[in-house]
Amino acid sequence: MTPAQTQTRKVMLSAVQPSNHLTIGNYLGAIKNWVKLQHDYECLFFAVDLHTITVRQDPKEMRDQTYRAIATYIAAGLDPKDVTLFVQSHVPAHAELAWVLNCFTYIGELSRMTQFKDKSAAKGGGEGQNISAGLFTYPVLMASDILLYQTDLVPVGEDQKQHLELTRDVAIRMNNIYGKDTFKVPEPYIAQVAARIASLQNPDQKMSKSDPDPNASIFLTDSDDVIRKKLKRAITDSGSEITYDAEAKPGVSNLLTIQSAITGKSMSELVNSYAGKQYGHLKVETGEIVVEAIAPIRNKTELLLKDLGYLNSILKDGAEKARARAHTTLKRVYERVGFIGLDQL
Ligand code: TYM
């Protein structure tokens, strides 16, 4: 990296919730793009543990998943020497800016968030099942994550687009009050092919880490045999012709999408290659393609997890770099809203 490149690079940032093992939806919809774009941008990638406790978590399990998320980022191809990798709770400015942004975000806006509506509808009440205020204000913390670093580009899957729009609205609102250079207004970068990988068991829904049916998702921890089995059991559609039609053939289209996202082949090329073949062929071949893509990431993740010393050194370094950057924005915002700076006393 030349000094000139370092100076001119725009900022790219994204994150994943360490709420369970990551899925191929997370990989193809988000992480694969991070890897692809990492050297063109000044990058920050992190695990959002603060977001994760918006629904009840087992503490030990969450710590393990947080390490696993960071190890997966590296195993998938992020270069820890060039990108900043960290854990959200290691940078207190995320929570601090979120409070300020909470005061500039409206209840009406948060009530319209489909992720909140879906997640709160999925909860049935009872012990630990109440809908927390954190789940409601979740998008504000996400806006804080993004705006703290004067981010230009946020590569995410389709499901996060609405949160990005809210982030932009809040940034523009505050810029209008406190000056245009308060926040950079970020752009989303949505994967072209894999914006929404669907559940293997209910292809009208997105594949989700928290789906209670383990056959619905391919986890990045799944063994080769489990991957093959899950794809063999994937729900396909009526008829027998292999064509891409997200409305009429969501199951078949999802398998084609997964193949296209991994191999880079166009949809028409793939569909042509399946002329005269049956759904069974598509399932078996998708299984092999997914195994080939996932096995090296899984194996490298396991190796990295055996060396916590290495991961800890990356996280310490990342937290330090992120803290320094975040402080600049937080200080500017605190001054502009009218707080007395401790360094001015
Ligand atoms: P999370 O943890 O739900 O998902 C992580 C990333 O994976 C993408 N994704 C998918 N893409 C395609 N198909 C799918 N089935 C699929 N499932 C998930 C998500 O769009 C996301 O890009 N709120 C975020 C985490 C977050 C964040 C941020 C992201 C917190 N702060 C700041 C970007 C910037 C979330 O819950 O992602």
Side-chain angles (χ1 to χ4, degrees), residues 47-272:
V48 287
D49 51 354
L50 299 177
H51 278 104
T52 304
I53 60 160
T54 51
V55 293
R56 206 62 69 86
Q57 302 293 332
D58 174 74
K60 178 180 181 309
E61 177 72 10
M62 202 177 85
R63 272 190 283 273
D64 289 350
Q65 294 298 359
T66 305
Y67 273 121
R68 184 171 283 281
I70 299 293
T72 306
Y73 294 176
I74 301 170
L78 287 179
D79 176 2
K81 291 203 190 70
D82 194 23
V83 306
T84 302
L85 299 175
F86 65 102
V87 174
Q88 187 188 32
S89 65
H90 291 167
V91 186
H94 288 248
E96 292 169 305
L97 180 65
W99 174 256
V100 178
L101 300 183
N102 259 317
C103 301
F104 292 83
T105 308
Y106 304 130
I107 286 180
E109 289 175 311
L110 294 173
S111 308
R112 284 194 290 276
M113 294 293 118
T114 45
Q115 185 166 304
F116 171 71
K117 287 197 264 187
D118 292 348
K119 284 201 176 175
S120 51
K123 284 179 155 265
E127 173 56 27
Q129 292 298 307
N130 283 324
I131 297 156
S132 71
L135 194 60
F136 187 61
T137 58
Y138 175 113
V140 181
L141 180 59
M142 179 161 162
S144 169
D145 294 343
I146 297 168
L147 299 179
L148 260 184
Y149 299 95
Q150 306 295 338
T151 305
D152 293 279
L153 197 70
V154 187
V156 282
E158 179 76 32
D159 62 327
Q160 297 300 317
K161 203 170 159 201
Q162 200 186 24
H163 291 159
L164 252 295
E165 278 157 15
L166 179 72
T167 302
R168 289 170 56 86
D169 289 346
V170 173
I172 292 167
R173 181 172 305 147
M174 290 193 69
N175 283 353
N176 286 337
I177 305 171
Y178 298 110
K180 296 276 175 252
D181 61 342
T182 307
F183 293 124
K184 180 74 72 66
V185 181
E187 296 288 339
Y189 178 97
I190 313 279
Q192 270 187 346
V193 181
R196 185 181 172 282
I197 300 296
S199 150
L200 298 181
Q201 291 301 315
N202 183 357
D204 292 326
Q205 281 176 11
K206 72 160 189 170
M207 185 182 285
S208 161
K209 310 182 201 86
S210 50
D211 196 315
D213 179 355
N215 287 320
S217 309
I218 292 175
F219 296 102
L220 300 184
T221 43
D222 284 343
S223 69
D224 295 353
D225 280 348
V226 168
I227 295 174
R228 290 188 183 106
K229 261 190 216 135
K230 285 184 178 177
L231 279 157
K232 268 191 201 144
R233 285 190 199 139
I235 300 289
T236 38
D237 314 289
S238 55
S240 59
E241 207 192 337
I242 298 173
T243 51
Y244 182 84
D245 184 337
E247 294 285 310
K249 294 200 171 200
V252 167
S253 302
N254 191 38
L255 299 186
L256 289 168
T257 298
I258 291 171
Q259 281 207 23
S260 172
I262 292 174
T263 61
K265 287 187 186 160
S266 72
M267 210 47 92
S268 56
E269 191 183 342
L270 277 174
V271 169
N272 286 340

